[in-house]
Amino acid sequence: MISAGRGGVIINMSSLASKVSTAGVGLFAYCASKAAQDMITRCMAVSLGQYNIRVNSVNPTIVTNDFRKDFWIGDEESRISAATLQNLTPLKRFAEIEDVLNAITFLMSENSKMISGESIMVDGGYFAR
């Protein structure tokens, strides 16, 4: 992008877990890596802005798909966890793949030409609580 001199857009994939602590020893590394991804996004935005390259991240909550449905519905404990998280989300639902794709499409479009260095939450309002 730099050598072409035309600018461009970079979209990093992050997660709601970059901003919200999640219980469970196995999730420490995941949450930390997503928080690092958000900082990398901001640093890249500052460094690459002079080349007219915008850098943002998209941070979805749980995204429903066939894999996730099986994962969350698998047993009673998981079902309760999913229901609790969904109930804490103001829109009372998880994201769908199209919700994430719409955020990415917007960030890649000319409609967002002044947006750079941001982490766009696709979380139904969870982080706003």
Side-chain angles (χ1 to χ4, degrees):
M1 278 189 229
I2 294 172
S3 62
R6 292 188 300 249
V9 179
I10 297 171
I11 308 293
N12 293 321
M13 289 306 300
S14 189
S15 170
L16 171 65
S18 70
K19 308 279 190 213
V20 178
S21 320
T22 307
V25 173
L27 294 174
F28 292 164
Y30 181 77
C31 293
S33 69
K34 293 304 181 177
Q37 181 67 61
D38 287 355
M39 181 53 77
I40 289 167
T41 296
R42 289 191 295 277
C43 291
M44 288 175 69
V46 170
S47 296
L48 298 175
Q50 63 185 318
Y51 303 105
N52 197 32
I53 298 172
R54 297 184 294 110
V55 185
N56 293 290
S57 70
V58 173
N59 301 50
T61 184
I62 294 169
V63 177
T64 57
N65 57 41
D66 290 338
F67 169 74
R68 276 289 177 212
K69 287 177 186 171
D70 292 342
F71 178 79
W72 285 102
I73 295 174
D75 58 40
E76 189 174 329
E77 184 177 336
S78 294
R79 220 173 306 140
I80 293 167
S81 296
T84 299
L85 179 59
Q86 199 167 27
N87 197 41
L88 291 171
T89 302
L91 293 182
K92 305 294 185 214
R93 68 177 184 89
F94 293 130
E96 296 181 10
I97 292 169
E98 291 77 17
D99 297 319
V100 179
L101 293 175
N102 289 338
I104 292 168
T105 300
F106 169 70
L107 289 172
M108 294 187 71
S109 76
E110 285 296 308
N111 293 326
S112 65
K113 62 185 177 184
M114 250 333 254
I115 300 174
S116 192
E118 295 298 325
S119 298
I120 305 299
M121 308 304 287
V122 181
D123 67 349
Y126 184 88
F127 187 63
R129 298 177 317 107

